Amino acid sequence: YYTDERIIFPVRNQQQRQIHPKAIVSYIWEADGRSPHNRFSGASHAFIHDQVRETPQVVDFAGRQVQARWDDELSTVVVTELDGSVIPSSTAFAFVYPAFYD
């Protein structure tokens, strides 16, 4: 299942995805006050676990700089403000992200 690129059920917006559908990503989201049915509205960003494990990333997110780093103890990506404040994130297969954040 994890290596097969096929998804066994319909998932929208897969043409937006540029990585293996079952790669693991952590994503952050900040609402903008609009929430169309079955979608999330506002700024979002996904961090690919394999990339962050190799090199921490700093990105502009909703007008501020945030950092994603690999945490060996937790075996996952942790996203923080540059001052170290943790930003809540969700972890999922890569095919999930464009299905909700288009």
Side-chain angles (χ1 to χ4, degrees):
Y1 179 81
Y2 293 98
T3 59
D4 190 338
E5 289 203 23
R6 291 179 297 150
I7 302 170
I8 60 175
F9 45 85
V11 181
R12 65 191 199 130
N13 298 328
Q14 293 306 293
Q15 72 282 1
Q16 295 177 15
R17 182 181 38 76
Q18 298 178 3
I19 60 173
H20 193 287
K22 293 165 190 157
I24 304 297
V25 300
S26 286
Y27 54 90
I28 55 176
W29 169 63
E30 186 171 285
D32 67 359
R34 295 178 28 225
S35 288
H37 182 67
N38 289 332
R39 287 187 283 186
F40 294 93
S41 179
S44 66
H45 187 83
F47 298 96
I48 302 167
H49 279 214
D50 286 344
Q51 291 177 358
V52 174
R53 189 177 308 168
E54 296 297 318
T55 306
Q57 297 177 7
V58 175
V59 300
D60 182 59
F61 176 72
R64 63 191 196 272
Q65 297 285 300
V66 301
Q67 176 177 302
R69 64 175 176 75
W70 186 256
D71 186 304
D72 284 325
E73 187 174 323
L74 297 174
S75 293
T76 194
V77 167
V78 175
V79 183
T80 63
E81 302 281 355
L82 293 183
D83 69 3
S85 303
V86 174
I87 299 172
S89 63
S90 297
T91 301
F93 285 123
F95 72 81
V96 172
Y97 181 72
F100 292 99
Y101 301 94
D102 56 61

XYZ file of all heavy atoms in Angstrom:
834
model
N 0.821 -1.191 0.000
C 0.000 0.000 0.000
C 0.872 1.265 0.000
O 0.607 2.204 -0.734
C -0.937 0.003 1.206
C -1.799 1.235 1.265
C -2.953 1.323 0.495
C -1.457 2.312 2.065
C -3.742 2.460 0.530
C -2.246 3.446 2.112
C -3.384 3.525 1.339
O -4.150 4.651 1.381
N 1.883 1.315 0.829
C 2.678 2.536 0.981
C 3.519 2.884 -0.246
O 3.846 4.041 -0.454
C 3.576 2.434 2.213
C 2.782 2.413 3.489
C 2.486 1.213 4.122
C 2.318 3.586 4.062
C 1.742 1.191 5.293
C 1.574 3.568 5.225
C 1.292 2.372 5.832
O 0.553 2.353 6.984
N 3.896 1.902 -1.031
C 4.726 2.174 -2.206
C 3.912 2.291 -3.494
O 4.410 2.825 -4.474
C 5.792 1.071 -2.376
O 5.139 -0.186 -2.512
C 6.735 1.058 -1.180
N 2.689 1.810 -3.493
C 1.817 1.868 -4.666
C 1.292 3.292 -4.823
O 0.735 3.862 -3.877
C 0.661 0.889 -4.484
C -0.155 0.708 -5.741
O -0.140 1.586 -6.630
O -0.829 -0.332 -5.833
N 1.444 3.883 -6.004
C 0.989 5.257 -6.223
C -0.521 5.364 -6.380
O -1.072 6.460 -6.323
C 1.691 5.869 -7.437
C 3.138 6.154 -7.156
C 3.727 7.216 -8.065
O 2.967 8.040 -8.614
O 4.943 7.217 -8.210
N -1.189 4.236 -6.555
C -2.646 4.285 -6.707
C -3.308 4.610 -5.373
O -2.891 4.134 -4.325
C -3.189 2.957 -7.228
C -2.801 2.678 -8.664
C -3.322 1.355 -9.131
N -2.685 0.311 -8.292
C -3.239 -0.844 -7.995
N -4.435 -1.142 -8.441
N -2.601 -1.727 -7.249
N -4.353 5.405 -5.462
C -5.196 5.686 -4.302
C -6.486 4.911 -4.550
O -7.056 4.992 -5.634
C -5.471 7.204 -4.176
C -4.145 7.963 -4.073
C -6.352 7.483 -2.961
C -4.281 9.457 -4.182
N -6.947 4.163 -3.574
C -8.039 3.218 -3.805
C -9.426 3.836 -3.715
O -10.416 3.132 -3.783
C -7.916 2.005 -2.854
C -7.972 2.459 -1.395
C -6.632 1.235 -3.134
C -7.990 1.313 -0.381
N -9.506 5.156 -3.584
C -10.792 5.859 -3.550
C -10.585 7.220 -4.204
O -9.464 7.704 -4.300
C -11.319 6.001 -2.115
C -10.269 6.449 -1.140
C -9.973 7.800 -0.968
C -9.557 5.513 -0.395
C -8.999 8.203 -0.085
C -8.591 5.917 0.504
C -8.304 7.258 0.660
N -11.661 7.848 -4.669
C -11.511 9.146 -5.343
C -11.027 10.229 -4.376
O -11.523 10.344 -3.260
C -12.913 9.469 -5.840
C -13.740 8.268 -5.604
C -13.028 7.375 -4.657
N -10.047 11.004 -4.829
C -9.524 12.126 -4.043
C -9.320 13.279 -5.011
O -8.637 13.134 -6.026
C -8.190 11.760 -3.350
C -7.692 12.930 -2.519
C -8.338 10.523 -2.493
N -9.880 14.432 -4.678
C -9.813 15.560 -5.600
C -8.457 16.258 -5.577
O -7.675 16.090 -4.638
C -10.929 16.556 -5.306
C -10.794 17.203 -3.978
C -12.058 17.977 -3.613
N -11.701 18.909 -2.567
C -11.980 20.163 -2.575
N -12.653 20.682 -3.573
N -11.604 20.943 -1.592
N -8.192 17.042 -6.606
C -7.029 17.927 -6.743
C -5.683 17.210 -6.773
O -4.667 17.813 -6.429
C -7.023 18.991 -5.641
C -8.222 19.887 -5.705
O -8.749 20.155 -6.773
N -8.691 20.343 -4.554
N -5.635 15.985 -7.201
C -4.362 15.262 -7.209
C -3.404 15.777 -8.267
O -2.198 15.566 -8.176
C -4.603 13.761 -7.355
C -5.284 13.154 -6.141
C -4.546 13.460 -4.853
O -3.437 12.986 -4.649
N -5.136 14.262 -3.973
N -3.896 16.513 -9.257
C -3.015 17.105 -10.262
C -2.115 18.171 -9.642
O -1.075 18.504 -10.193
C -3.822 17.677 -11.438
C -4.600 18.941 -11.117
C -5.906 18.720 -10.339
O -6.264 17.606 -9.987
N -6.609 19.813 -10.074
N -2.455 18.678 -8.473
C -1.636 19.682 -7.787
C -0.459 19.054 -7.044
O 0.504 19.736 -6.727
C -2.497 20.467 -6.793
C -3.561 21.284 -7.448
C -4.439 21.984 -6.424
O -4.102 22.077 -5.258
N -5.573 22.476 -6.874
N -0.545 17.785 -6.759
C 0.486 17.095 -5.974
C 1.682 16.789 -6.865
O 1.519 16.344 -7.988
C -0.120 15.805 -5.408
C 0.793 15.012 -4.546
C 0.124 13.739 -4.053
N -0.747 13.084 -5.016
C -0.312 12.353 -6.048
N 0.976 12.183 -6.264
N -1.162 11.787 -6.865
N 2.897 17.016 -6.357
C 4.101 16.766 -7.142
C 4.991 15.686 -6.538
O 6.107 15.472 -7.005
C 4.884 18.062 -7.313
C 4.090 19.097 -8.074
C 4.837 20.398 -8.220
O 5.967 20.540 -7.807
N 4.196 21.366 -8.836
N 4.517 15.029 -5.494
C 5.295 13.975 -4.852
C 4.446 12.709 -4.762
O 3.245 12.740 -5.041
C 5.785 14.403 -3.441
C 4.603 14.717 -2.529
C 6.735 15.586 -3.545
C 4.987 14.982 -1.083
N 5.059 11.630 -4.378
C 4.363 10.352 -4.225
C 3.145 10.562 -3.330
O 3.240 11.229 -2.294
C 5.317 9.327 -3.598
C 4.828 7.926 -3.680
N 3.790 7.448 -2.896
C 5.227 6.892 -4.447
C 3.576 6.176 -3.170
N 4.435 5.813 -4.124
N 1.988 10.026 -3.704
C 0.773 10.277 -2.921
C 0.846 9.798 -1.469
O 0.150 10.315 -0.606
C -0.323 9.537 -3.682
C 0.389 8.549 -4.533
C 1.733 9.140 -4.831
N 1.719 8.836 -1.216
C 1.790 8.295 0.140
C 3.050 8.721 0.891
O 3.368 8.179 1.939
C 1.629 6.786 0.098
C 0.199 6.458 -0.369
C 0.014 5.067 -0.790
C -1.343 4.908 -1.457
N -1.382 3.776 -2.335
N 3.715 9.747 0.349
C 4.784 10.390 1.127
C 4.114 11.008 2.353
O 2.945 11.390 2.313
C 5.475 11.462 0.292
N 4.851 11.126 3.432
C 4.303 11.694 4.654
C 4.636 13.186 4.710
O 5.780 13.576 4.501
C 4.851 10.978 5.905
C 4.577 9.469 5.826
C 4.266 11.578 7.184
C 3.117 9.092 5.802
N 3.618 14.003 4.986
C 3.792 15.437 5.121
C 3.163 15.912 6.431
O 2.246 15.284 6.947
C 3.163 16.221 3.938
C 3.785 15.820 2.621
C 1.659 16.067 3.899
N 3.694 17.000 6.945
C 3.045 17.717 8.038
C 2.655 19.060 7.478
O 3.412 19.681 6.733
C 3.987 17.898 9.226
O 4.149 16.689 9.919
N 1.443 19.506 7.805
C 1.000 20.779 7.254
C 0.431 21.670 8.346
O -0.037 21.211 9.381
C -0.003 20.580 6.118
C -1.200 19.725 6.461
C -2.356 20.301 6.967
C -1.169 18.353 6.274
C -3.448 19.526 7.276
C -2.266 17.566 6.583
C -3.405 18.158 7.086
O -4.496 17.392 7.398
N 0.554 22.967 8.065
C 0.021 23.977 8.961
C -1.026 24.766 8.194
O -1.007 24.813 6.958
C 1.124 24.897 9.523
C 1.947 25.528 8.406
C 2.017 24.126 10.483
C 3.005 26.520 8.883
N -1.934 25.388 8.919
C -3.030 26.104 8.299
C -3.447 27.242 9.199
O -3.451 27.116 10.428
C -4.191 25.140 8.080
C -5.486 25.770 7.691
C -5.742 26.476 6.558
C -6.701 25.740 8.431
N -7.055 26.888 6.532
C -7.673 26.437 7.688
C -7.072 25.182 9.638
C -8.967 26.603 8.108
C -8.384 25.339 10.064
C -9.312 26.046 9.300
N -3.785 28.373 8.580
C -4.303 29.514 9.310
C -5.573 29.976 8.611
O -5.541 30.376 7.452
C -3.272 30.643 9.348
C -3.698 31.803 10.212
C -2.564 32.781 10.403
O -1.643 32.461 11.178
O -2.608 33.861 9.780
N -6.692 29.901 9.302
C -7.991 30.241 8.726
C -8.060 31.710 8.344
O -7.450 32.553 8.985
C -9.097 29.908 9.716
N -8.850 31.990 7.303
C -9.065 33.375 6.895
C -10.510 33.806 7.082
O -10.922 34.834 6.589
C -8.625 33.593 5.447
C -9.495 32.850 4.448
O -10.431 32.134 4.851
O -9.236 32.992 3.237
N -11.304 33.021 7.785
C -12.685 33.383 8.051
C -13.680 32.820 7.055
O -14.878 32.864 7.279
N -13.198 32.288 5.943
C -14.070 31.642 4.963
C -13.841 30.148 5.066
O -12.726 29.703 5.192
C -13.718 32.077 3.546
C -13.954 33.516 3.255
C -13.544 33.886 1.829
N -13.638 32.765 0.917
C -12.707 32.447 0.021
N -11.603 33.144 -0.076
N -12.875 31.415 -0.784
N -14.871 29.374 4.993
C -14.723 27.909 4.986
C -15.723 27.308 4.021
O -16.806 26.895 4.421
C -14.921 27.324 6.392
O -13.835 27.626 7.200
N -15.389 27.284 2.727
C -16.290 26.638 1.772
C -16.523 25.175 2.156
O -15.670 24.549 2.773
C -15.540 26.733 0.444
C -14.505 27.780 0.650
C -14.178 27.764 2.110
N -17.660 24.638 1.788
C -18.004 23.253 2.096
C -16.922 22.280 1.620
O -16.487 22.350 0.480
C -19.338 22.901 1.433
C -19.801 21.525 1.727
N -20.181 21.125 2.994
C -19.918 20.442 0.940
C -20.525 19.864 2.959
N -20.383 19.422 1.720
N -16.475 21.404 2.510
C -15.475 20.363 2.227
C -14.096 20.908 1.863
O -13.302 20.217 1.243
C -15.937 19.413 1.118
C -17.048 18.528 1.592
O -17.142 18.221 2.774
N -17.907 18.125 0.679
N -13.800 22.146 2.229
C -12.484 22.720 1.982
C -12.108 23.611 3.151
O -12.956 24.070 3.899
C -12.472 23.565 0.712
C -12.536 22.744 -0.546
C -12.352 23.637 -1.713
N -13.617 24.343 -1.931
C -13.842 25.134 -2.955
N -12.917 25.360 -3.841
N -15.002 25.728 -3.093
N -10.841 23.886 3.267
C -10.356 24.836 4.251
C -9.864 26.054 3.497
O -9.248 25.933 2.443
C -9.221 24.232 5.083
C -9.681 23.091 5.939
C -9.592 21.794 5.490
C -10.219 23.337 7.188
C -10.023 20.742 6.278
C -10.656 22.297 7.986
C -10.556 20.994 7.534
N -10.118 27.217 4.033
C -9.745 28.451 3.372
C -8.724 29.181 4.234
O -8.844 29.215 5.450
C -10.997 29.308 3.174
O -10.682 30.520 2.566
N -7.730 29.750 3.607
C -6.695 30.477 4.325
C -5.324 29.980 3.923
O -5.177 29.113 3.069
N -4.306 30.527 4.565
C -2.922 30.155 4.262
C -2.639 28.738 4.750
O -3.113 28.329 5.812
C -1.969 31.134 4.935
N -1.880 27.991 3.960
C -1.454 26.655 4.376
C -0.097 26.352 3.763
O 0.296 26.965 2.769
C -2.473 25.592 3.953
O -2.519 25.492 2.541
N 0.598 25.425 4.375
C 1.897 24.993 3.848
C 2.151 23.561 4.310
O 1.890 23.227 5.464
C 3.027 25.892 4.332
C 4.328 25.582 3.682
N 4.667 26.085 2.444
C 5.354 24.794 4.062
C 5.857 25.621 2.105
N 6.293 24.833 3.064
N 2.657 22.743 3.396
C 2.999 21.356 3.724
C 4.512 21.183 3.737
O 5.215 21.730 2.887
C 2.384 20.400 2.706
N 4.997 20.424 4.712
C 6.420 20.098 4.832
C 6.578 18.603 4.602
O 5.934 17.797 5.288
C 6.936 20.460 6.233
C 6.851 21.920 6.552
C 5.780 22.422 7.256
C 7.846 22.788 6.135
C 5.693 23.769 7.562
C 7.766 24.145 6.423
C 6.692 24.634 7.140
N 7.422 18.235 3.658
C 7.651 16.827 3.328
C 8.638 16.254 4.335
O 9.761 16.750 4.460
C 8.182 16.687 1.892
C 7.186 17.320 0.908
C 8.457 15.226 1.556
C 7.742 17.528 -0.483
N 8.239 15.214 5.050
C 9.062 14.656 6.119
C 10.460 14.277 5.656
O 11.442 14.611 6.332
C 8.370 13.435 6.748
C 7.336 13.814 7.735
N 7.075 13.060 8.850
C 6.479 14.866 7.808
C 6.119 13.624 9.565
N 5.727 14.717 8.931
N 10.587 13.586 4.528
C 11.914 13.154 4.068
C 12.843 14.346 3.825
O 14.042 14.264 4.079
C 11.809 12.313 2.796
C 11.279 10.916 3.078
O 11.273 10.489 4.255
O 10.866 10.243 2.107
N 12.305 15.455 3.337
C 13.132 16.639 3.083
C 13.532 17.328 4.376
O 14.687 17.721 4.552
C 12.390 17.617 2.182
C 12.216 17.128 0.771
C 11.417 18.086 -0.082
O 10.941 19.126 0.375
N 11.235 17.716 -1.343
N 12.589 17.469 5.299
C 12.878 18.149 6.567
C 13.825 17.314 7.417
O 14.655 17.853 8.143
C 11.575 18.476 7.331
C 11.865 19.052 8.709
C 10.714 19.438 6.515
N 13.729 15.995 7.310
C 14.642 15.121 8.059
C 16.082 15.393 7.657
O 16.996 15.365 8.481
C 14.303 13.661 7.794
C 15.060 12.700 8.691
C 14.640 11.278 8.456
N 13.188 11.199 8.549
C 12.470 10.160 8.178
N 13.042 9.096 7.683
N 11.160 10.162 8.302
N 16.305 15.714 6.382
C 17.640 16.011 5.873
C 18.078 17.439 6.188
O 19.224 17.672 6.547
C 17.679 15.790 4.356
C 17.452 14.357 3.939
C 18.521 13.421 4.457
O 19.715 13.792 4.419
O 18.162 12.323 4.919
N 17.158 18.396 6.028
C 17.497 19.813 6.188
C 16.305 20.569 6.767
O 15.231 20.566 6.162
C 17.838 20.448 4.818
O 18.855 19.677 4.187
C 18.307 21.871 4.976
N 16.478 21.233 7.917
C 15.388 22.065 8.439
C 15.008 23.120 7.402
O 15.828 23.529 6.588
C 15.992 22.718 9.683
C 17.127 21.842 10.069
C 17.659 21.267 8.785
N 13.756 23.547 7.440
C 13.273 24.524 6.471
C 12.704 25.744 7.177
O 12.019 25.614 8.183
C 12.188 23.911 5.594
C 12.671 22.764 4.762
C 11.545 22.133 3.948
O 10.434 22.627 3.904
N 11.850 21.024 3.309
N 12.976 26.916 6.633
C 12.354 28.158 7.083
C 11.583 28.695 5.888
O 12.126 28.813 4.792
C 13.402 29.180 7.573
C 12.737 30.506 7.913
C 14.173 28.638 8.765
N 10.295 28.985 6.101
C 9.449 29.478 5.019
C 8.642 30.672 5.505
O 8.417 30.843 6.702
C 8.484 28.390 4.486
C 9.244 27.199 3.936
C 7.498 27.960 5.551
N 8.187 31.477 4.553
C 7.264 32.565 4.855
C 5.872 31.957 4.897
O 5.437 31.297 3.951
C 7.344 33.646 3.776
C 6.428 34.804 4.097
O 6.607 35.420 5.167
O 5.523 35.073 3.285
N 5.181 32.162 5.994
C 3.834 31.626 6.158
C 2.943 32.720 6.736
O 3.178 33.194 7.850
C 3.841 30.407 7.087
C 2.470 29.882 7.374
C 1.753 29.224 6.399
C 1.882 30.077 8.610
C 0.474 28.757 6.652
C 0.606 29.606 8.877
C -0.105 28.947 7.891
N 1.964 33.130 5.960
C 0.992 34.134 6.402
C 1.687 35.392 6.933
O 1.318 35.934 7.975
C 0.055 33.544 7.444
N 2.750 35.813 6.234
C 3.435 37.044 6.581
C 4.466 36.944 7.681
O 4.975 37.956 8.158
N 4.804 35.737 8.086
C 5.848 35.573 9.109
C 6.709 34.372 8.763
O 6.310 33.505 8.007
C 5.238 35.424 10.496
C 4.374 34.199 10.667
C 3.601 34.283 11.979
N 3.058 33.014 12.379
C 1.876 32.550 12.008
N 1.123 33.236 11.181
N 1.446 31.377 12.445
N 7.896 34.326 9.327
C 8.821 33.223 9.096
C 8.543 32.109 10.105
O 8.415 32.378 11.306
C 10.267 33.699 9.258
C 10.675 34.751 8.251
C 10.910 34.140 6.893
O 11.767 33.284 6.739
N 10.145 34.558 5.909
N 8.426 30.886 9.605
C 8.264 29.722 10.474
C 9.312 28.689 10.096
O 9.808 28.668 8.967
C 6.837 29.119 10.400
C 5.788 30.144 10.805
C 6.543 28.558 9.030
N 9.636 27.822 11.038
C 10.666 26.804 10.818
C 10.084 25.413 11.039
O 9.315 25.195 11.965
C 11.816 27.010 11.794
C 12.881 25.940 11.684
C 14.050 26.195 12.599
O 14.677 27.224 12.523
N 14.336 25.240 13.465
N 10.486 24.493 10.172
C 10.151 23.077 10.345
C 11.460 22.334 10.550
O 12.419 22.540 9.813
C 9.419 22.541 9.126
N 11.498 21.485 11.567
C 12.700 20.690 11.845
C 12.264 19.273 12.201
O 11.133 19.037 12.611
C 13.515 21.305 12.980
C 12.788 21.316 14.292
C 13.641 21.808 15.458
N 12.860 21.893 16.661
C 12.466 20.867 17.404
N 12.796 19.638 17.070
N 11.739 21.041 18.489
N 13.186 18.338 12.041
C 12.929 16.950 12.387
C 13.229 16.741 13.858
O 14.261 17.176 14.365
C 13.781 16.018 11.532
C 13.432 14.587 11.782
C 14.147 13.681 12.514
C 12.275 13.899 11.324
N 13.499 12.477 12.541
C 12.345 12.580 11.810
C 11.178 14.272 10.553
C 11.358 11.625 11.545
C 10.202 13.321 10.286
C 10.300 12.020 10.780
N 12.330 16.086 14.568
C 12.529 15.750 15.976
C 12.761 14.254 16.066
O 11.843 13.460 15.831
C 11.299 16.158 16.793
C 11.494 15.962 18.280
O 11.805 14.824 18.698
O 11.320 16.939 19.027
N 14.015 13.860 16.366
C 14.355 12.435 16.446
C 13.581 11.706 17.531
O 13.179 10.562 17.350
C 15.858 12.247 16.702
C 16.681 12.484 15.451
O 16.210 12.143 14.342
O 17.800 13.004 15.579
N 13.362 12.364 18.654
C 12.659 11.720 19.766
C 11.201 11.408 19.404
O 10.680 10.349 19.744
C 12.707 12.618 20.999
C 12.163 11.963 22.249
C 12.362 12.840 23.470
O 13.395 13.519 23.577
O 11.441 12.844 24.314
N 10.560 12.329 18.704
C 9.164 12.137 18.307
C 9.022 11.451 16.948
O 7.930 11.037 16.572
C 8.440 13.489 18.264
C 8.340 14.240 19.587
C 7.723 15.625 19.359
C 7.529 13.451 20.604
N 10.111 11.383 16.189
C 10.109 10.837 14.822
C 9.081 11.534 13.936
O 8.304 10.893 13.221
C 9.849 9.324 14.836
O 10.921 8.655 15.426
N 9.104 12.860 13.981
C 8.185 13.636 13.151
C 8.720 15.050 12.968
O 9.720 15.432 13.573
C 6.774 13.678 13.767
O 5.850 14.147 12.781
C 6.710 14.538 15.014
N 8.030 15.800 12.137
C 8.344 17.206 11.909
C 7.682 18.035 13.005
O 6.526 17.799 13.364
C 7.839 17.649 10.517
C 7.868 19.160 10.361
C 8.656 16.978 9.426
N 8.411 19.009 13.505
C 7.870 19.981 14.451
C 8.000 21.347 13.800
O 9.069 21.712 13.309
C 8.632 19.949 15.798
C 8.146 21.048 16.721
C 8.487 18.585 16.457
N 6.904 22.098 13.790
C 6.880 23.423 13.176
C 6.802 24.454 14.293
O 5.999 24.323 15.221
C 5.683 23.580 12.215
C 5.723 24.937 11.521
C 5.665 22.453 11.184
N 7.672 25.479 14.192
C 7.716 26.507 15.228
C 7.834 27.890 14.608
O 8.259 28.044 13.474
C 8.919 26.315 16.173
O 10.137 26.451 15.424
C 8.895 24.970 16.873
N 7.458 28.884 15.422
C 7.818 30.261 15.115
C 9.331 30.338 15.303
O 9.939 29.451 15.930
C 7.129 31.232 16.087
C 5.624 31.153 16.097
C 4.961 31.881 14.925
O 5.667 32.545 14.127
O 3.737 31.784 14.818
N 9.965 31.385 14.801
C 11.418 31.498 14.963
C 11.823 31.670 16.423
O 12.952 31.361 16.794
C 11.972 32.634 14.111
C 11.887 32.410 12.597
C 12.534 33.564 11.849
C 12.490 31.080 12.188
N 10.890 32.099 17.293
C 11.192 32.208 18.720
C 11.067 30.878 19.453
O 11.264 30.799 20.655
C 10.306 33.269 19.393
C 8.836 32.865 19.478
O 8.463 31.739 19.073
O 8.028 33.700 19.956
N 10.695 29.814 18.733
C 10.576 28.484 19.327
C 9.171 28.087 19.720
O 8.939 26.935 20.093
N 8.198 28.984 19.636
C 6.811 28.653 19.953
C 6.288 27.634 18.943
O 6.381 27.858 17.729
C 5.922 29.893 19.901
O 6.392 30.891 20.763
N 5.739 26.544 19.433
C 5.251 25.477 18.556
C 3.969 25.910 17.858
O 3.069 26.488 18.473
C 5.014 24.180 19.355
C 4.377 23.104 18.485
C 6.318 23.677 19.950
N 3.897 25.612 16.566
C 2.700 25.834 15.764
C 2.036 24.478 15.575
O 2.678 23.535 15.102
C 3.063 26.441 14.393
C 3.743 27.795 14.583
C 1.820 26.558 13.510
C 4.297 28.374 13.307
N 0.768 24.334 15.925
C 0.097 23.052 15.722
C 0.142 22.650 14.249
O -0.049 23.479 13.363
C -1.341 23.309 16.170
C -1.247 24.494 17.078
C -0.117 25.325 16.535
N 0.409 21.377 14.009
C 0.444 20.856 12.641
C -0.270 19.515 12.611
O -0.514 18.905 13.647
C 1.892 20.702 12.157
O 2.576 19.755 12.938
N -0.598 19.083 11.405
C -1.215 17.769 11.192
C -0.310 16.972 10.282
O 0.358 17.532 9.413
C -2.590 17.922 10.544
O -3.461 18.620 11.393
N -0.307 15.685 10.457
C 0.512 14.793 9.639
C -0.402 13.853 8.870
O -1.369 13.337 9.434
C 1.497 14.001 10.517
O 2.330 14.930 11.207
C 2.357 13.063 9.693
N -0.093 13.660 7.581
C -0.947 12.826 6.733
C -0.163 12.374 5.511
O 0.955 12.814 5.273
C -2.177 13.615 6.299
N -0.792 11.518 4.717
C -0.244 11.187 3.410
C -0.312 12.440 2.539
O -1.202 13.284 2.699
C -1.050 10.083 2.731
C -0.829 8.710 3.293
C -1.897 7.968 3.771
C 0.436 8.145 3.325
C -1.702 6.697 4.262
C 0.648 6.879 3.816
C -0.428 6.147 4.293
N 0.573 12.531 1.562
C 0.628 13.702 0.680
C -0.661 13.893 -0.109
O -1.026 15.028 -0.422
C 1.815 13.586 -0.269
N -1.380 12.831 -0.420
C -2.604 13.001 -1.199
C -3.704 13.721 -0.423
O -4.631 14.282 -1.007
C -3.117 11.670 -1.775
C -3.715 10.709 -0.784
C -5.025 10.846 -0.333
C -2.978 9.625 -0.330
C -5.576 9.938 0.554
C -3.517 8.713 0.557
C -4.830 8.874 0.996
N -3.613 13.763 0.880
C -4.627 14.422 1.700
C -4.555 15.937 1.566
O -5.577 16.611 1.473
C -4.481 14.001 3.181
C -5.394 14.811 4.084
C -4.717 12.506 3.340
N -3.353 16.483 1.554
C -3.167 17.937 1.578
C -3.906 18.662 0.444
O -4.698 19.560 0.702
C -1.684 18.260 1.613
C -1.379 19.735 1.660
C -1.609 20.483 2.808
C -0.887 20.386 0.548
C -1.352 21.839 2.846
C -0.630 21.742 0.575
C -0.855 22.463 1.730
O -0.612 23.803 1.752
N -3.706 18.313 -0.843
C -4.410 19.065 -1.884
C -5.923 18.789 -1.917
O -6.678 19.573 -2.470
C -3.752 18.598 -3.189
C -3.160 17.288 -2.862
C -2.787 17.339 -1.416
N -6.355 17.728 -1.288
C -7.791 17.448 -1.259
C -8.546 18.479 -0.429
O -9.715 18.746 -0.674
C -8.034 16.048 -0.702
N -7.887 19.065 0.543
C -8.543 20.032 1.413
C -8.056 21.460 1.198
O -8.801 22.405 1.415
C -8.340 19.649 2.882
C -9.061 18.392 3.250
C -8.398 17.188 3.310
C -10.424 18.422 3.513
C -9.071 16.027 3.631
C -11.105 17.266 3.843
C -10.434 16.054 3.897
N -6.804 21.637 0.829
C -6.212 22.969 0.701
C -5.905 23.247 -0.757
O -4.800 23.026 -1.215
C -4.930 23.069 1.541
C -5.180 22.800 2.995
C -5.003 21.528 3.517
C -5.606 23.807 3.835
C -5.253 21.273 4.852
C -5.852 23.561 5.180
C -5.669 22.285 5.678
O -5.915 22.036 6.989
N -6.908 23.703 -1.494
C -6.662 23.979 -2.910
C -6.676 25.443 -3.216
O -6.947 26.270 -2.445
C -7.677 23.270 -3.799
C -9.118 23.592 -3.465
O -9.524 24.761 -3.548
O -9.838 22.659 -3.132
